[in-house]
């Protein structure tokens, strides 16, 4: 799954992809249901449940609206860490935060550091930023967020290390419950992420770690920007 930093090939679990017609058809069929944007009533149901669990939820029309809202939510000069996310990349939020000069962007600093000699500092920077911005792999109508990772490097900030967390979530990520969320991770997100990591790094991704956020006990810490459109994996 998505990782804050590339995961070495030796720690990845290969996702087998047969060249047979039957396997290809099966994969396409399994992916399709999890790519369809949830209708308005399901978005509202998820938003209501998340709010009851302590999250702040805003339903926005599209990624452009989220991109604008992010600028309102994060004060200038804040230390911001962006998780590896197709949603952030496609929306332009990744570029805004990491190259715009408005924030103390942590990701560019970490990528420029020596992993052999500065790993402890890298861990500290990514685990406890002022703000972490990312996405999730699934949001349930019962009020939970699910994030999968290969290395786990971006999970501490999401779990509670960051003072604030903001998740931008496409409508296709809404599922009925936790079992459906886990199926979405394995059947939909993992094949897409493995294709991305194969192209970028030459190895498959893996679901080595799962973070399930069932509630946010600290008022105002976790904000979910739930979009009416599909975006990302």
């Amino acid at each position: 799954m998505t990782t804050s930093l590339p995961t070495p090939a030796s720690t990845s679990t290969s996702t087998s992809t047969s060249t047979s017609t039957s396997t290809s058809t099966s994969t396409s069929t399994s992916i399709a249901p999890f790519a369809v944007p949830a209708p308005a009533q399901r978005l509202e149901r998820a938003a209501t449940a998340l709010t009851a669990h302590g999250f702040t939820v805003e339903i926005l029309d599209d990624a452009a609206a989220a991109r604008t809202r992010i600028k309102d939510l994060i004060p200038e000069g804040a230390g911001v860490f962006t998780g590896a996310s197709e949603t952030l990349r496609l929306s332009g939020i990744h570029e805004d935060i990491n190259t715009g000069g408005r924030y103390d962007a942590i990701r560019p600093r970490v990528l420029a550091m020596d992993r052999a000699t500065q790993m402890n500092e890298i861990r500290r920077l990514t685990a406890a930023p002022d703000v972490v911005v990312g996405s999730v792999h699934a949001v349930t109508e019962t009020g939970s967020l699910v994030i999968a990772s290969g290395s786990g490097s971006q999970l501490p900030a999401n779990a509670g290390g960051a003072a604030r967390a903001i998740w931008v979530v496409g409508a296709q990520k809404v599922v009925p419950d936790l079992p459906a969320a886990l199926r979405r991770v394995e059947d939909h997100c993992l094949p897409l992420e493995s294709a991305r990591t194969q192209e970028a790094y030459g190895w498959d991704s893996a679901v080595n770690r799962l973070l399930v956020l069932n509630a946010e006990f600290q008022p105002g810490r976790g904000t979910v920007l739930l979009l009416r459109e599909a975006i990302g994996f």
Side-chain angles (χ1 to χ4, degrees):
M1 299 307 301
T2 52
T3 55
S4 298
L5 296 170
T7 306
S10 60
T11 62
S12 297
T13 301
S14 176
T15 302
S16 60
T17 53
S18 171
T19 57
S20 68
T21 303
S22 60
T23 301
S24 176
T25 302
S26 174
T27 300
S28 299
T29 302
S30 66
I31 286 176
F34 292 120
V36 178
Q41 65 268 29
R42 292 184 61 205
L43 295 179
E44 292 289 350
R45 191 152 54 236
T48 298
L50 288 166
T51 301
H53 291 177
F55 297 99
T56 300
V57 184
E58 300 180 27
I59 298 179
L60 304 176
D61 283 339
D62 51 30
R67 188 176 185 180
T68 299
R69 186 68 178 122
I70 287 284
K71 295 175 183 177
D72 297 331
L73 291 172
I74 306 176
E76 187 172 353
V80 184
F81 175 55
T82 54
S85 164
E86 280 295 286
T87 298
L88 297 192
R89 184 185 68 81
L90 293 169
S91 65
I93 294 170
H94 180 278
E95 183 178 3
D96 290 345
I97 291 173
N98 291 306
T99 66
R102 177 180 173 86
Y103 309 110
D104 178 11
I106 291 172
R107 175 170 284 276
R109 291 167 57 190
V110 165
L111 291 177
M113 296 170 73
D114 187 339
R115 297 186 71 188
T117 61
Q118 297 178 288
M119 200 61 209
N120 285 338
E121 186 176 355
I122 290 172
R123 280 193 290 266
R124 286 191 290 268
L125 285 170
T126 58
D130 296 328
V131 185
V132 62
V133 180
S135 189
V136 303
H137 294 98
V139 54
T140 73
E141 293 175 49
T142 54
S144 297
L145 304 174
V146 177
I147 305 173
S149 179
S151 71
S153 57
Q154 67 189 31
L155 297 185
N158 284 281
R164 291 191 63 197
I166 301 171
W167 300 285
V168 182
V169 184
Q172 84 280 15
K173 299 183 180 184
V174 174
V175 296
D177 50 29
L178 189 56
L182 299 182
R183 288 197 302 273
R184 187 178 196 279
V185 168
E186 291 285 353
D187 297 343
H188 179 79
C189 301
L190 180 57
L192 293 173
E193 178 63 10
S194 283
R196 187 192 72 83
T197 57
Q198 274 288 351
E199 182 177 353
Y201 312 122
W203 61 74
D204 286 341
S205 187
V207 181
N208 291 326
R209 290 164 175 80
L210 276 169
L211 175 64
V212 179
L213 301 171
N214 286 323
E216 179 54 73
F217 75 95
Q218 184 178 339
R221 179 190 178 268
T223 298
V224 181
L225 301 181
L226 189 55
L227 309 186
R228 294 187 175 94
E229 70 172 5
I231 186 171
F233 293 162

